[in-house]
Amino acid sequence: MTTTLHMHFPGLWTLAWRRLRADRVAMAALAVVGAFLLLVLLSATGLVAGDWEDEVAVNYAPPTFVGADATARALAQAQLPRVVASAPNDFDPLAAELLELKAQVAQSHPPVDKRMTLPFGADKWGHDIVKKTIKGGETSIVVGLAAALVAVALGTLFGAVSGFYGGWVDDLFNWFYSIFTAIPSILMILTVAAVLQQKGVATIVLILGLTGWTGPYRLMRAEYIKHGAREYVMAADAIGASSWSRMFGHILPNVSHVALVQMSILVVGFIKAEVILSFLGFGVPVGTVSWGSMLNEAQNELILGKWWQLAAAASAMALLVTSFSLFADALRDALDPKIK
């Protein structure tokens, strides 16, 4: 009697998930990153912070949980609109039309009582800082994720072609890589931004994606050189698989964890790069809020002693970047424990 034993060996991703679950710091960081991504989703659908542009408070309403004190009430009183009674001008031919327009505006947009304080303060237009920070985070995180996806896709494509074919193709890509990395990255980013001459989220994604592919390219090229001589690739060649099929159908699934780790690392760098670009005036256009534009506004507010917008944007960015960095390190260790 013959007994057949079926042994199940866990795959790379199963083992990586087991190692990741055993790391408490990584799971805490993943929870924070997941909370930010959930906020981005809710903000993009309008369920959260959809009314962030409403002027719900007086200008620079201070952050407090206990209500307005005498100083806050005095400042709010000074911002109330002054009604100046004036006698009707009998010689004005538009007086009747103006009175009718004022009555229509008063009926369609009745005056709303503005709050004198908010739990986390208001900016110079009376916007709630919490809602503004959530909306700004949506822009910064979307830019980071999309730019990292573009950079990793370019780096993977270039690295696959360079490492798989070798020879003069590899030399050509290495020459291009050497020229690209010889220029300081911040100078390259500012140069591309000046060439594009357009402001917008898509422009920032292109700038960061087109200048950030070098890191993924170097690692993916090394992986493709290493895997190109493996038995499973030669077996695929023997049965007639095409070059593109071997590159992206056979090798890529076995090196995709390198691309994933690179993407998690680049997201952190690109979120910080978006903040720097917006702070320098090369980032999001007027009317779009991001953490960088909030910091740009806050530099003038600090002179007036209004610190809460700077504190909110900087705290949110520091929490996300730290959590994402810890998670990226843990993910790299889980996928390749030999480098730990």
Side-chain angles (χ1 to χ4, degrees):
M1 182 176 180
T2 304
T3 303
T4 304
L5 295 176
H6 295 281
M7 298 185 66
H8 177 68
F9 295 98
L12 171 67
W13 297 102
T14 305
L15 289 173
W17 175 241
R18 288 178 184 174
R19 296 189 194 104
L20 206 59
R21 281 194 307 176
D23 190 340
R24 293 183 180 179
V25 175
M27 296 311 293
L30 179 60
V32 174
V33 172
F36 271 95
L37 293 179
L38 180 62
L39 275 179
V40 169
L41 182 63
L42 295 176
S43 174
T45 55
L47 296 176
V48 171
D51 56 346
W52 74 273
E53 291 183 291
D54 291 349
E55 299 176 4
V56 296
V58 297
N59 302 349
Y60 295 124
T64 179
F65 289 91
V66 296
D69 55 10
T71 305
R73 283 194 293 270
L75 290 174
Q77 189 67 28
Q79 297 177 21
L80 291 177
R82 298 179 179 178
V83 179
V84 179
S86 58
N89 187 353
D90 296 333
F91 300 99
D92 187 358
L94 300 176
E97 286 79 0
L98 289 175
L99 286 175
E100 185 178 356
L101 285 174
K102 288 180 179 178
Q104 290 177 358
V105 170
Q107 186 176 5
S108 59
H109 297 83
V112 179
D113 293 334
K114 295 183 179 180
R115 300 179 62 179
M116 288 183 281
T117 62
L118 287 173
F120 293 92
D123 64 3
K124 63 181 177 182
W125 293 285
H127 300 153
D128 190 342
I129 287 296
V130 173
K131 294 180 179 178
K132 190 174 181 180
T133 304
I134 294 173
K135 198 65 182 177
E138 175 195 336
T139 305
S140 299
I141 294 172
V142 167
V143 166
L145 290 173
L149 185 62
V150 172
V152 170
L154 284 176
T156 301
L157 177 63
F158 293 166
V161 174
S162 177
F164 185 81
Y165 287 108
W168 67 269
V169 177
D170 189 30
D171 293 340
L172 180 65
F173 275 102
N174 280 331
W175 173 76
F176 189 50
Y177 168 82
S178 299
I179 293 177
F180 218 83
T181 52
I183 304 172
S185 57
I186 186 65
L187 182 60
M188 180 67 73
I189 290 174
L190 295 178
T191 302
V192 176
V195 169
L196 291 178
Q197 287 288 326
Q198 286 184 346
K199 285 187 175 181
V201 174
T203 303
I204 302 176
V205 170
L206 279 178
I207 292 171
L208 298 177
L210 293 176
T211 57
W213 57 270
T214 52
Y217 161 77
R218 183 170 52 81
L219 294 176
M220 295 304 286
R221 172 181 173 271
E223 291 294 324
Y224 269 80
I225 291 175
K226 184 172 67 178
H227 282 258
R230 295 276 173 89
E231 289 82 1
Y232 73 95
V233 180
M234 290 190 285
D237 185 26
I239 62 175
S242 65
S243 298
W244 286 92
S245 175
R246 278 176 282 157
M247 277 194 289
F248 300 108
H250 294 83
I251 299 179
L252 184 58
N254 290 289
V255 300
S256 56
H257 62 284
V258 178
L260 181 63
V261 172
Q262 280 297 298
M263 184 167 175
S264 63
I265 295 173
L266 286 178
V267 167
V268 177
F270 287 162
I271 288 175
K272 292 188 286 188
E274 184 278 328
V275 171
I276 294 172
L277 282 176
S278 297
F279 183 79
L280 294 176
F282 290 97
V284 295
V286 176
T288 303
V289 63
S290 73
W291 288 340
S293 65
M294 291 177 68
L295 293 178
N296 194 356
E297 293 175 12
Q299 61 179 332
N300 297 324
E301 296 174 353
L302 282 180
I303 301 174
L304 304 174
K306 317 297 183 186
W307 51 266
W308 37 91
Q309 182 164 207
L310 172 67
S315 301
M317 187 182 69
L319 179 61
L320 176 64
V321 168
T322 303
S323 301
F324 225 121
S325 298
L326 291 173
F327 176 69
D329 290 342
L331 182 63
R332 182 188 57 197
D333 295 341
L335 287 171
D336 193 358
K338 290 183 293 186
I339 64 174
K340 189 174 182 179

